[in-house]
Amino acid sequence: MVVGACTESGSSGPSAPAGSPTRGGVATVLIHEPTAQDLNKLTTFVQGTFWVTAQIFDTLTFIDQEGQTIPLIAESWSVSSDNLTWTFVIRNGVVFSDGSTLDADDVVFSIEDSMRPENPIGILLSAVESVQATDPQTVEIRLAYPYPALPEALSGVNFAIIPENWGGVEEAAFYENPIGSGPFMVDPEGQWLKGTAIDLIRNPNYWLEGRPYLNGVAFKTVTEQQRILQLRGGQADLIFGPDVTQSALDLQTTPGFNVVDVPTYRTMFIGLGQGFEPFTDVHVRRALAHAVDREALRAALFDFPIISGSYIPTELSVHDPDAGLPFDLAQARSELEQSAYEDGFDVSLLIDAGSQQENTLAQVLQQQFAEIGVTVKIEQVDLGARIEALVNGEFEMIAQDINQVTADPAEMTAWAIDPSFGAFFFTGYEDPALADLARRAARASDPTERQALYSQVQQAAAEAAYIIVPYNLPDIWSSTDRLRGVVLGLGDTIDLSGAFFSE
Amino acid sequence: MSRTRWLVRRLAQAAVVALGVVLIVFLLIHLVPGDPARAVLGIAASPEAIAKLHREWGLDDSLPRQLLLYLGRLGGGDLGDSLLYGQPVTQVIRERIGPTAWLMGLATVMSVIIAVPLGVVAAIRRDKIADHLARIVPMIGFAMPPAWVGIMLILVFSLGLEWFPVGGYGEGLLGHARSMFLPSLTAALIMAPILVRSIRASMIDALDSDYVDTARSKGISEGRVLVRHALRNALTSSVTVVGLNVGILLGTTVVIERVFATPGIGSLLVDGALSRDFPVVQGVTLLLALAVILVYLLTDLALLLLDPRIAAQ
């Protein structure tokens, strides 16, 4: 990982920036995804919006750069001996941006609200039976069955804390002018072009003394080319990207700029659709999995990806580095010979037309699969069409990266396996025994048992090869030397509370 | 045909074209795979959240019913509400039209400023080096993709000389003018070559005409002959080319606005298409179609006023 001067490591909540921070200035952050189309933190699962909502709302817990779950709004937490009751102590003195106090009732409301079916990752709270405030600073969560990763799950922005009953207004009205306890809030006099740009200003009531240092942050969605040019031209302070291309290396060596690649919980999946006849044969799927040379892929992507054969992100402790079928062309050919497709076949691979990284991935896979007689036709479609094809299972082969927003491995497992959520990554594959094993892993309270069960799950998924994982993707961020104190965390988080402009 | 009848006929044609555009765009955007609800809520959106948005946006209705409802609203001047912005499409367009208007206006003026001197020089120096240069050099800008031209201008004038911002729209009148200079220049470099050739051809015709010989024989200075007699008549025929150029430019703005991150109508159209914001795509396309029709109509009207012979025909 390359770490530039713009990042700081977090250890206990938002970290202290290097140097002496100065107050003032508005940081312009340019990102690649539509931003702030809707600030409803519950229903939205768009990264470009998460980066904004994470500035407005706080979560009970936070994942630092070492992957540790640390206190944020919750000062501490504990679990009962039967692992069925969690007690969270709420930090004293936290107020919302309107000046009202954040207490246990707000937390209870927020968690109960998060359990609504509209929450895309509400499934992570399916163990929760009841939530209640035992005093103004204490919340008790009772579970139907043990769920050891609850504090990790509650780090997700979808579970952020909002005022009870949306502060007394309708939900839709609340999210037009949201109130949170985060370092920034929507600038009532600023620009909010939904999907394109939003101006945030400093929350004067932010609970962390003296912070934030910036007067505001402007998020804008622009193309990669413009992001790089505006950063170089002094119109932007922090940008997402460049993509894993030569541009990243070029910017890395340009004085005055920092390029940082941050590990994430982002897994790249190659899904093999069961509606495509050859992929119903496990030998064909395993042949393709053995034909993937991950080192070659990594080299083609300028060494940025982190090699992984498991669907569970490398940064999570239960990640099994031994999961995934190794690159072995002889074995790949042998597997194919055991199928009805020993002479190979033609298959289409669906990718996002706007992603240079996926384009490179597809071209390299095309070459690698050709080695065993499989001809890949690359089909580029826009993101919307690709997502529709994925969730409807209308693909032969598809490339799609998934980012999990909590530090709970059950989240990515839900995508890769859970029949009621990702449904074996929408491939149409079915394996009730594997789904059951995954459920047991998620509920195992003993860390050793949990690790062992998750290893079994990862290895079984890799052996079945309905998905092939080539690598994990880091996020690349670039900034000017002037902007300091930005914390780029795991789970694609940006903490700007300690960001400031140096003299 | 009287002018009134001519105008009525052109307006009727325009209405038919606009209706055709509306129907084609409506069908195309609805037939392309992709769900606007998922564009807003993301890949992991729950079926319940998706269904809720579908209900709110009326996407549960059949396509013919959605079309009828849309046409009904359109008849009342209502372009509907944007799915993503949650605001009336007319308001969304109003917020974005400024940058595009700047781009169109400034580009047209720049193209005329570039093309008129070059066209005149080419005509005066017919078949000489200056003529060839005046015709060939601008073609380089025409032959290059607008995105490439834009990037080159940014590299030289924004990052190199630091005269203009890399992108965006800026703030205040001066900020807008500075931000829109390079996008407009990109467009002007594409528009100018056709105009140069048109002015050159018209100027050559004019300079060979009897009325110019007459003017010269009267002892009128060469400069005055060129400007007052030849150029004035030559420009009349070039008005059509300017009009056509504006029509082409409306399409090119989509590319130019993306290159310069200009928050205008072109960017709105691309964002709307990518996120399947049907009402915005339909509204913007209709607006662009009407703008092209209007420009061509105004071009014809201008010609009618400038050249009485057209009316006589």
Side-chain angles (χ1 to χ4, degrees):
Chain A
M1 182 176 73
V2 182
V3 179
C6 75
T7 62
E8 310 292 338
S9 60
S11 54
S12 58
S15 65
S20 52
T22 49
R23 187 178 299 286
V26 175
T28 300
V29 182
L30 305 183
I31 57 178
H32 64 307
E33 284 198 345
T35 186
Q37 283 167 335
D38 183 344
L39 290 180
N40 190 326
K41 59 90 189 171
L42 177 79
T43 55
T44 303
F45 202 84
V46 178
Q47 191 58 56
T49 299
F50 279 150
W51 287 321
V52 175
T53 47
Q55 311 308 318
I56 299 169
F57 306 108
D58 278 329
T59 43
L60 282 181
T61 60
F62 188 78
I63 307 302
D64 71 10
Q65 286 184 307
E66 280 73 48
Q68 299 301 310
T69 308
I70 60 171
L72 196 61
I73 292 302
E75 200 170 54
S76 63
W77 53 87
S78 57
V79 64
S80 62
S81 56
D82 62 359
N83 295 309
L84 290 176
T85 304
W86 285 84
T87 305
F88 288 84
V89 178
I90 308 306
R91 193 182 291 273
N92 225 329
V94 177
V95 291
F96 288 110
S97 56
D98 65 351
S100 60
T101 303
L102 186 157
D103 62 19
D105 288 335
D106 299 308
V107 175
V108 170
F109 173 78
S110 301
I111 294 176
E112 286 179 341
D113 182 53
S114 303
M115 292 162 65
R116 283 164 47 196
E118 289 96 319
N119 184 349
I121 54 170
I123 190 171
L124 294 179
L125 297 192
S126 37
V128 175
E129 228 173 33
S130 67
V131 188
Q132 61 175 0
T134 53
D135 67 53
Q137 297 307 124
T138 311
V139 172
E140 206 173 82
I141 302 178
R142 287 199 57 77
L143 306 179
Y145 48 83
Y147 179 34
L150 182 63
E152 282 79 9
L154 292 174
S155 66
V157 184
N158 296 81
F159 303 115
I161 309 305
I162 54 174
E164 186 181 10
N165 292 320
W166 303 290
V169 297
E170 292 289 316
E171 182 182 10
F174 173 79
Y175 286 111
E176 281 301 307
N177 188 17
I179 293 163
S181 61
F184 296 94
M185 54 190 203
V186 175
D187 183 352
E189 292 171 6
Q191 175 184 236
W192 183 3
L193 284 174
K194 291 185 177 180
T196 305
I198 187 164
D199 292 340
L200 304 181
I201 52 166
R202 184 174 188 272
N203 172 6
N205 295 310
Y206 187 50
W207 54 275
L208 202 57
E209 189 64 32
R211 295 200 186 182
Y213 304 116
L214 294 171
N215 285 340
V217 184
F219 282 90
K220 292 178 186 170
T221 306
V222 290
T223 59
E224 168 158 324
Q225 196 176 54
Q226 260 291 323
R227 292 199 300 277
I228 299 169
L229 290 169
Q230 290 198 21
L231 185 74
R232 285 181 180 271
Q235 279 182 257
D237 306 296
L238 178 67
I239 66 166
F240 181 84
D243 204 350
V244 284
T245 59
Q246 184 64 40
S247 303
L249 300 181
D250 291 346
L251 200 59
Q252 225 167 34
T253 52
T254 307
F257 300 100
N258 300 302
V259 178
V260 190
D261 58 318
V262 191
T264 63
Y265 299 139
R266 187 185 295 275
T267 299
M268 172 56 76
F269 287 89
I270 309 294
L272 309 183
Q274 298 298 290
F276 182 59
E277 184 63 29
F279 291 156
T280 57
D281 186 335
V282 69
H283 293 297
V284 173
R285 301 197 303 265
R286 289 170 60 88
L288 289 184
H290 276 300
V292 175
D293 180 353
R294 294 179 176 83
E295 289 291 351
L297 271 170
R298 185 169 184 265
L301 291 165
F302 301 91
D303 290 336
F304 282 108
I306 301 157
I307 287 180
S308 169
S310 163
Y311 74 87
I312 290 190
T314 52
E315 302 303 313
L316 291 176
S317 61
V318 298
H319 168 80
D320 184 347
D322 296 327
L325 300 183
F327 171 55
D328 185 339
L329 272 183
Q331 185 63 32
R333 290 192 184 104
S334 164
E335 289 280 1
L336 209 55
E337 279 166 11
Q338 296 174 59
S339 76
Y341 300 92
E342 57 183 321
D343 296 328
F345 53 89
D346 293 356
V347 62
S348 77
L349 169 59
L350 212 54
I351 63 166
D352 175 11
S355 168
Q356 184 58 44
Q357 176 258 133
E358 282 185 24
N359 202 12
T360 305
L361 166 69
Q363 287 182 38
V364 176
L365 285 180
Q366 194 177 43
Q367 291 168 16
Q368 294 181 352
F369 291 157
E371 294 286 327
I372 57 168
V374 175
T375 306
V376 174
K377 182 186 164 206
I378 301 169
E379 280 188 48
Q380 300 193 43
V381 293
D382 73 39
L383 192 61
R386 199 258 304 261
I387 290 177
E388 278 304 289
L390 175 72
V391 297
N392 294 326
E394 293 165 350
F395 56 87
E396 293 177 357
M397 194 188 297
I398 195 167
Q400 170 76 52
D401 65 281
I402 297 288
N403 176 51
Q404 69 168 53
V405 296
T406 72
D408 179 4
E411 187 182 340
M412 199 61 90
T413 303
W415 284 101
I417 293 170
D418 195 323
S420 67
F421 191 76
F424 298 93
F425 203 64
F426 307 104
T427 54
Y429 180 74
E430 289 177 3
D431 186 345
L434 180 57
D436 186 53
L437 188 64
R439 255 191 306 276
R440 282 170 51 209
R443 296 175 188 187
S445 294
D446 176 62
T448 312
E449 185 196 2
R450 190 163 176 258
Q451 177 78 55
L453 284 170
Y454 265 123
S455 275
Q456 284 180 43
V457 174
Q458 292 169 76
Q459 284 169 14
E463 293 284 332
Y466 58 95
I467 45 170
I468 301 170
V469 175
Y471 47 71
N472 276 195
L473 273 170
D475 272 354
I476 298 183
W477 286 88
S478 308
S479 70
T480 60
D481 265 348
R482 283 188 63 232
L483 185 65
R484 311 186 79 87
V486 177
V487 179
L488 301 169
L490 288 164
D492 266 351
T493 56
I494 316 174
D495 177 7
L496 293 167
S497 70
F500 66 96
F501 286 111
S502 63
E503 293 301 327
Chain B
M1 192 190 304
S2 74
R3 285 186 186 187
T4 313
R5 274 189 64 196
W6 174 86
L7 190 62
V8 169
R9 196 171 152 184
R10 292 303 306 269
L11 286 173
Q13 286 171 346
V16 171
V17 171
L19 185 65
V21 167
V22 167
L23 289 175
I24 290 169
V25 171
F26 182 90
L27 289 173
L28 280 180
I29 190 72
H30 279 82
L31 291 177
V32 172
D35 184 344
R38 204 169 284 282
V40 171
L41 300 176
I43 186 171
S46 69
E48 290 81 1
I50 297 266
K52 187 167 170 244
L53 278 190
H54 281 177
R55 269 196 309 279
E56 285 174 17
W57 292 341
L59 299 178
D60 284 346
D61 293 332
S62 67
L63 205 56
R65 183 169 157 73
Q66 287 184 50
L67 177 60
L68 282 176
L69 286 172
Y70 179 65
L71 290 176
R73 282 199 305 266
L74 201 59
D78 180 6
L79 293 176
D81 290 345
S82 160
L83 305 184
L84 305 186
Y85 303 95
Q87 297 165 331
V89 171
T90 44
Q91 186 184 333
V92 176
I93 289 176
R94 215 168 29 239
E95 287 172 359
R96 299 291 196 94
I97 205 151
T100 306
W102 264 94
L103 176 57
M104 303 286 300
L106 204 52
T108 306
V109 171
M110 280 181 175
S111 70
V112 172
I113 290 172
I114 294 168
V116 169
L118 289 177
V120 171
V121 167
I124 296 170
R125 303 281 176 204
R126 196 186 324 178
D127 296 330
K128 299 213 168 72
I129 291 176
D131 177 22
H132 296 311
L133 286 176
R135 281 185 295 156
I136 293 168
V137 172
M139 284 307 286
I140 296 170
F142 184 72
M144 295 296 154
W148 186 85
V149 174
I151 296 290
M152 288 302 113
L153 291 177
I154 289 171
L155 290 176
V156 174
F157 294 105
S158 299
L159 297 184
L161 299 170
E162 297 182 8
W163 288 355
F164 301 101
V166 170
Y169 185 43
E171 284 180 15
L173 195 63
L174 192 62
H176 295 334
R178 284 191 70 230
S179 295
M180 297 313 298
F181 189 88
L182 292 185
S184 304
L185 184 58
T186 307
L189 291 176
I190 296 161
M191 294 163 76
I194 302 172
L195 201 52
V196 169
R197 285 175 174 253
S198 163
I199 292 171
R200 177 185 177 273
S202 307
M203 276 295 285
I204 287 172
D205 282 349
L207 290 171
D208 288 347
S209 65
D210 293 342
Y211 64 84
V212 166
D213 287 342
T214 308
R216 281 181 176 139
S217 67
K218 282 181 178 175
I220 298 172
S221 70
E222 189 60 20
R224 197 174 163 86
V225 168
L226 278 176
V227 177
R228 294 291 297 275
H229 295 267
L231 183 59
R232 191 172 177 184
N233 282 291
L235 284 182
T236 306
S237 57
S238 296
V239 166
T240 311
V241 178
V242 173
L244 283 170
N245 265 341
V246 171
I248 296 166
L249 178 59
L250 275 165
T252 316
T253 52
V254 175
V255 177
I256 295 175
E257 288 185 8
R258 291 300 275 185
V259 171
F260 288 92
T262 308
I265 294 293
S267 298
L268 182 67
L269 182 62
V270 175
D271 292 340
L274 289 177
S275 50
R276 307 293 187 270
D277 192 343
F278 308 134
V280 161
V281 173
Q282 288 157 195
V284 172
T285 318
L286 180 62
L287 176 81
L288 291 178
L290 289 176
V292 171
I293 292 167
L294 185 69
V295 166
Y296 290 170
L297 199 63
L298 289 176
T299 306
D300 287 347
L301 276 175
L303 281 177
L304 209 61
L305 295 173
L306 287 169
D307 190 346
R309 286 172 302 176
I310 295 173
Q313 286 164 13

